[in-house]
Amino acid sequence: MTTTQTTTVTAPAPATPATRGSLLPPHIARATATAGGALTVVSAFLAWTWTSAFPGDLTVYGYPGGLQWLVLVSGALLTLFGLSSYGIKGLNWLTPQGADPAIRLAAYAAFATAWFTIGAISTKLGGAVNLEPGAYVALAATLIGWLGARSLPYERPETSPADPDDSAFDQFKHNLSNRWSVYKGTLATTPAPPAKTLPSYIEILIVAVVLALGLAVFTYGITTEYDQLFIGFLITAGFGFAAIQKAGLIQRVSTLTARHRNVTLVGAFVAAAAFPFTQSDDQYATIGVNILIFATVALGLNIVVGLAGLLDLGYVAFLGVGAYAAALVSGSPTSPLGIQLPFWQAILVGATASMVFGVLIGAPTLRLRGDYLAIVTLGFGEIFRIAVLNLDGTSGPDVTNGSNGISSIPNLTMFGFDFGATHTIAGFTIGRFANYFFLMLLVTLVVVVVFRRSAESRIGRAWVAIREDETAAEAMGINGFRTKLIAFALGATLAGLAGAVQAHVTYTVTPEQYQFAHAVPPNSAFLLAAVVLGGMGTISGPLVGGALLFLIPAKLQFMSDYQLFAFGLALVLLMRFRPEGLIANRRRQLEFHEKDEAPATLTKAGA
Amino acid sequence: MTALLEVEDLRVAYGKIEAVKGISFKVEEGEVVTLIGTNGAGKTTTLRTLSGLIKPLTGQIKFNGKSLRKVPAHQVVSLGLAHSPEGRHIFPRMSIEDNLRLGAFLRKDSDGINKDIQRAYDLFPILGERRKQASGTLSGGEQQMLAMGRALMSQPKLLMLDEPSMGLSPIMMQKIMATITELRAQGTTILLVEQNAQAALSLANHAHVMEVGNIVLSGTGQDLLHDDSVRKAYLGED
């Protein structure tokens, strides 16, 4: 009698602080999460609404459609991670760093995608009355999965209570940071055991599969047909990647790609080149080629910003110089030069013109450091645009046609291949933009190779040394000015290459395309953001960052008025929570998380 | 025989403020020469001028028979003058090994570089143990070792050390001084700037005392160590 009394009295006391996150006992929580995932998968096969007025046709039993596919994928992820956490043979490889954080994030993915979808249906069709039972199954299933995942055990980090003497706002901030560290605690991973050594061909096969998956995800994102599907895609992809990363799979794959770097490089380009073949018309190849242009220029900027540490706020001007130079010699009827050079000459003209401008701008400004350089390059970017506006024959000599720009740039013809025409290759239709997509892909390849080779060479080490400590670098015998000028000129040249292609893709070059900040990328602010968002000093970082920063504004037309606002907000949040960018350079990570990372490297070196 | 480094009537100014007011000294090959003095005496300015980071107003700097006056900082190293700057200036986000490799930036002989990296690890075993570690995570004394090791990587004819004992614990300072002694025994020519007069004087062949931009006293290390005015001013005796 007394014992039961004591338990009833004492039980609630520790339960109150512990309820958060431990609604269910661990083994039930795990089962619930896994079952929720399985149920989510099932729910994707049910009808969620009665009318096909909502895009994607979610009215069919037995076959998922539109957003249901995304729910299906996230549910499947949750189920797999859940099963893997039981140590089921053959699924262990899914979660080398521990399953629980991955389960949590996968559950968030399923929950957020499903609830977003059903919210979108209700909003679009005017009320929850338009939902079919399947929708309620999905809501319940993802809720169950989420509750289960939330109740998984975790090591709660120690937090200190707020000082009652502080002002209310300070207490609020303190509690918020406590919550944040607890939340981070729920996602804490254990270090992965060393991977089994696989035969080389299997490793390469895995890399190939991952690249194919990447192509599939990318193609899906690029070809999303309506806003809701793209937002759903961002939600699923965001949480899904986070889950896969926490599971430790990304790390596993990156060790493989690091081991087979050339294979990965070739494979990535084969995958990218396969993109037009997945399309039946030219609609999305336009986006594809523009992403490539944007991402390539961002990668060029990464040499200047990421490697040499020079903050260049006017970089888009070099793209403009290349584009204008190529347009002038393109044979366009509005070009005052009136000559038509073959493309290989035009692209060299574009690159050379950009390089000359890079040296001309760099030579006086690179003697400045830090903020001064940023201000001067910002000014140069604007000077370029205004100068081009004024070289119209009335305010100045007639070179650029002023605000009308150089228009009707003819399509390229190389080796008898007309880039303007639609071709059929092995049954696939390859349209105009797809042609340019292939051409641009070659330029991207050139830029990637230049970036890689230079980053690993003597000059690359000199750039990093300059970025880290210019005085010390000089004391090592590195000529700071010359090293920085090479970075600046090389970055400009690469932008010029891309500009020469861009002029032909867009038919017209006008000064408005090359601004500091603008709603449409590429512009200097977005380029810099792509580098920072993606990860400074890496190759894949700016490519991923560029793709995201191009796709999001292109897909979410309805937010065009708030785009710069959303962009700014996203940058602030990113800088607060992941300053090293989405794809982190090892050295950068050290820089931004010195406290967390330092001991890890210590033990690694000590071992 | 001419000295390795000859400085004559060197004057350096920051704007209107003259920090070095016409000093002359020599460093012979194989010896350790030290400049001691209080804060603001012009010691660091002298070293920074020698390595080309600051341009002098007037005066002659002859190194190995060549004038250094018109040589930019990054070329001074190639002439055989290495500078381990005050405050160490290591590259904190790079590994120890990368730091050492950057010290050999101007050299092309990869075999020799690897040999010298090994030599630096022999000289400072702690660096060898942590060669892959980011150098920013080292302690102050270890960073000083790295800065010295890095300066040695250019195979200098003259090694200039600026306040190697600054901010170090007494034990670490002894280690650094022992290393300098060892380097001297190996025949390295060193120009040492120090505030720790006792330590610097006891291992120097020649020493110069600087005060507000002038050399006020010169002699052998032992002479100055036993000089009354030096003992009063710098060794805290009365």
Side-chain angles (χ1 to χ4, degrees), chain A residues 317-524:
Chain A
F318 296 122
L319 178 71
V321 170
Y324 265 96
L328 283 172
V329 298
S330 67
S332 153
T334 53
S335 156
L337 291 188
I339 49 169
Q340 181 162 17
L341 298 183
F343 181 67
W344 67 269
Q345 285 177 10
I347 200 168
L348 285 182
V349 167
T352 314
S354 284
M355 186 177 73
V356 168
F357 270 82
V359 172
L360 282 181
I361 304 308
T365 54
L366 288 173
R367 298 177 194 277
L368 303 171
R369 288 190 187 187
D371 304 346
Y372 300 103
L373 179 68
I375 293 165
V376 171
T377 52
L378 178 64
F380 164 67
E382 284 301 285
I383 289 170
F384 167 77
R385 187 175 64 83
I386 294 164
V388 166
L389 263 178
N390 286 330
L391 294 174
D392 57 356
T394 35
S395 319
D398 183 16
V399 182
T400 63
N401 270 338
S403 57
N404 293 327
I406 298 173
S407 53
S408 327
I409 297 169
N411 278 306
L412 294 172
T413 319
M414 272 200 279
F415 312 114
F417 185 86
D418 181 3
F419 278 75
T422 303
H423 300 262
T424 308
I425 301 172
F428 294 99
T429 323
I430 300 299
R432 176 180 183 271
F433 285 107
N435 296 333
Y436 282 110
F437 181 87
F438 291 126
L439 178 65
M440 195 55 216
L441 195 60
L442 285 180
V443 175
T444 309
L445 181 65
V446 169
V447 175
V448 167
V449 170
V450 168
F451 185 98
R452 215 177 85 174
R453 300 291 298 175
S454 58
E456 285 167 7
S457 67
R458 243 168 85 80
I459 187 80
R461 281 186 290 136
W463 284 334
V464 177
I466 292 272
R467 189 188 74 200
E468 299 263 308
D469 190 327
E470 199 167 335
T471 311
E474 290 263 341
M476 301 297 103
I478 295 167
N479 183 341
F481 174 68
R482 207 186 63 176
T483 308
K484 291 195 286 185
L485 191 59
I486 290 174
F488 212 70
L490 182 61
T493 311
L494 298 180
L497 283 180
V501 179
Q502 191 209 22
H504 288 91
V505 172
T506 55
Y507 295 111
T508 309
V509 286
T510 57
E512 277 67 46
Q513 290 170 335
Y514 309 105
Q515 300 189 2
F516 170 68
H518 191 245
V520 188
N523 54 62
S524 293

Side-chain angles (χ1 to χ4, degrees), chain A residues 82-213:
Chain A
L83 290 175
S84 168
S85 75
Y86 280 104
I88 291 177
K89 231 177 150 61
L91 287 177
N92 272 331
W93 60 272
L94 276 170
T95 51
Q97 288 185 358
D100 289 2
I103 293 178
R104 274 175 208 277
L105 285 164
Y108 296 157
F111 181 80
T113 315
W115 284 66
F116 164 76
T117 304
I118 286 155
I121 295 173
S122 308
T123 319
K124 170 106 178 171
L125 302 181
V129 72
N130 298 296
L131 299 177
E132 285 280 306
Y136 293 103
V137 175
L139 289 180
T142 52
L143 187 64
I144 290 170
W146 178 65
L147 282 176
R150 204 184 146 79
S151 309
L152 287 171
Y154 64 94
E155 207 166 313
R156 199 186 168 88
E158 293 225 11
T159 52
S160 57
D163 184 348
D165 294 337
D166 274 354
S167 69
F169 181 60
D170 279 342
Q171 288 194 32
F172 170 73
K173 276 197 298 189
H174 186 91
N175 289 330
L176 212 61
S177 83
N178 276 353
R179 289 250 183 120
W180 176 243
S181 63
V182 170
Y183 174 72
K184 279 204 289 194
T186 66
L187 298 177
T189 53
T190 50
K196 263 184 278 178
T197 41
L198 296 166
S200 192
Y201 70 95
I202 294 197
E203 288 187 346
I204 291 172
L205 205 65
I206 294 172
V207 171
V209 169
V210 169
L211 287 172
L213 274 176

Side-chain angles (χ1 to χ4, degrees), chain A residues 458 461-462 464-466 468-469 471-480 587 590-591 594 598 601-602 605, chain B residues 48 53 73-74 77 83 89-94 98 101-103 105-108 129-130 132-134 137 150:
Chain A
R458 243 168 85 80
R461 281 186 290 136
V464 177
I466 292 272
E468 299 263 308
D469 190 327
T471 311
E474 290 263 341
M476 301 297 103
I478 295 167
N479 183 341
R587 195 174 284 143
L590 210 64
E591 176 177 344
E594 268 166 42
T601 39
L602 242 166
Chain B
R48 288 174 65 86
L53 293 167
H74 59 267
V77 195
H83 184 186
H89 280 282
I90 54 159
F91 301 109
R93 261 98 58 177
M94 292 188 191
D98 286 350
R101 282 192 189 283
L102 272 168
F105 186 78
L106 294 176
R107 290 171 60 186
K108 301 261 159 59
E129 283 166 32
R130 304 186 179 178
K132 295 287 173 213
Q133 189 176 326
T137 60
R150 191 183 59 179

Side-chain angles (χ1 to χ4, degrees), chain B residues 10 40 132 161 164 170 179 184 202 209:
Chain B
L10 183 71
K132 295 287 173 213
L161 300 174
T179 311
R184 184 183 65 173
S202 49
V209 179

